[in-house]
Amino acid sequence: MIITVSDLNQPGVDIFANLTERELRFAYEKNGGFFIAESPKVIERALDADYEPISMLMEEKHITGDAAYLIDRCPNIPVYTAPRTVLEKLTGYKLTRGVLCAFKRKPTPSFTEVCKNASRIAVLENIADTSNLGAIFRSAAALGIDAVLLTPECADPLNRRCMRVSMGNVFLVKWARIGDHASQWPEQGIADLKSLGFKTLSMALRNNSIEITSPTLHNEKKLAILLGTEGEGLLPQTINASDYVVKIPMKDGVDSLNVAAAAAIIFWELKK
């Protein structure tokens, strides 16, 4: 059903116009929460991953254009539409591809479930930048990382920007939280990883760092690659508890890379 909208108070539009990312995630907690996917490619991948769509919001031109096949896939949900200028006033931001879709969240699996049969996983510690998070998921999908684990204070992979930067690849990689509260990381979390048979690898500049090309790393059957925040990197206690501390060799006095760039390099090297 196509519905033309003109203001914030129109029924059904509030999920797109009035709720923050946090409110989408928690305000309707009894219903499991929601998320907003942006652009046809991201929406398509969410549908392919069996997330349940609630409604769409799009520019008028996309109804018979870029989003026509999405409307055909979701015949029983309302499709709200308006010119671009009206949509930007409603949502408060510029639409990259002019198409939004609200989805119900699914229960997040346990970390033991997503790590079953995995040999190479990434553990993201307290990464708050959603663009970096999305880029890491994109690399993880492209380079064959089996699962991504997020510490309790890491950003939400179903954040709109994260999904867009990942090009929807967040739906192609298994992921879970490792621990429900900040107090459960790193001590309990690393102990849990080791109980599953993983050797832990911290990306950090330390005197005892080894290079990513070390045959020792390639010979490990199960490796958990730990990546930290942009500014501070991994917590000292995380590094101290790890089996390996690994660095990427760099030239000309450069001592670090953006975490997303570092993730792509280490993923590629350890999946060869």
Side-chain angles (χ1 to χ4, degrees), residues 25 32 34-35 46 49 51 104-116 118 121-124 133 136-138 140-141 145-152 154-159 162-163 166 168-179:
R25 186 177 175 186
F34 301 96
F35 65 89
Y51 281 89
K104 283 186 178 180
R105 287 176 178 262
K106 295 194 291 188
T108 305
S110 68
F111 70 89
T112 54
E113 182 180 345
V114 303
C115 289
K116 187 177 181 181
I121 66 172
V123 182
L124 310 185
L133 190 63
I136 292 170
F137 266 95
R138 188 173 182 177
I145 293 299
D146 300 310
V148 174
L149 302 184
L150 304 106
T151 62
C154 202
D156 178 22
L158 298 183
N159 172 281
C162 176
M163 289 184 287
S166 81
N169 286 299
V170 67
F171 299 111
L172 301 182
V173 182
K174 295 179 181 178
W175 63 270
R177 295 278 175 183
I178 181 163

Side-chain angles (χ1 to χ4, degrees), residues 10 37 47 64 70 104 114 153 166 174 194 218 256 270:
Q10 192 154 336
L47 291 170
T64 56
L70 296 174
K104 283 186 178 180
V114 303
E153 296 188 355
S166 81
K174 295 179 181 178
K194 292 184 177 182
H218 286 272
S256 65
L270 294 181

Side-chain angles (χ1 to χ4, degrees), residues 113-131:
E113 182 180 345
V114 303
C115 289
K116 187 177 181 181
N117 301 321
S119 63
R120 297 289 184 267
I121 66 172
V123 182
L124 310 185
E125 182 185 87
N126 304 342
I127 293 178
D129 187 296
T130 51
S131 294

Side-chain angles (χ1 to χ4, degrees), residues 125-127 203-204 227-236 238-239 259:
E125 182 185 87
N126 304 342
I127 293 178
M203 296 296 296
L227 296 150
T229 61
E230 189 73 68
E232 301 298 325
L234 291 165
L235 296 169
T238 299
I239 300 170
V259 65

Side-chain angles (χ1 to χ4, degrees), residues 13-85:
V13 181
D14 62 321
I15 196 168
F16 299 102
N18 298 325
L19 300 179
T20 66
E21 293 278 357
R22 180 174 179 80
E23 287 169 339
L24 282 168
R25 186 177 175 186
F26 296 113
Y28 296 104
E29 196 166 345
K30 64 181 180 180
N31 297 316
F34 301 96
F35 65 89
I36 304 293
E38 181 181 2
S39 86
K41 173 60 72 176
V42 176
I43 294 168
E44 180 181 21
R45 288 193 164 159
L47 291 170
D48 290 343
D50 295 325
Y51 281 89
E52 181 182 346
I54 303 301
S55 58
M56 293 188 196
L57 178 69
M58 65 184 66
E59 286 184 70
E60 293 169 335
K61 66 179 182 179
H62 293 307
I63 293 173
T64 56
D66 291 348
Y69 74 105
L70 296 174
I71 295 173
D72 289 341
R73 287 189 63 174
C74 309
N76 299 316
I77 67 171
V79 177
Y80 301 101
T81 184
R84 174 180 282 266
T85 53

Side-chain angles (χ1 to χ4, degrees), residues 178-201:
I178 181 163
D180 297 320
H181 305 286
S183 61
Q184 295 176 304
W185 181 266
E187 290 80 3
Q188 183 61 51
I190 289 180
D192 288 337
L193 290 170
K194 292 184 177 182
S195 73
L196 295 177
F198 286 95
K199 294 288 188 178
T200 52
L201 177 164

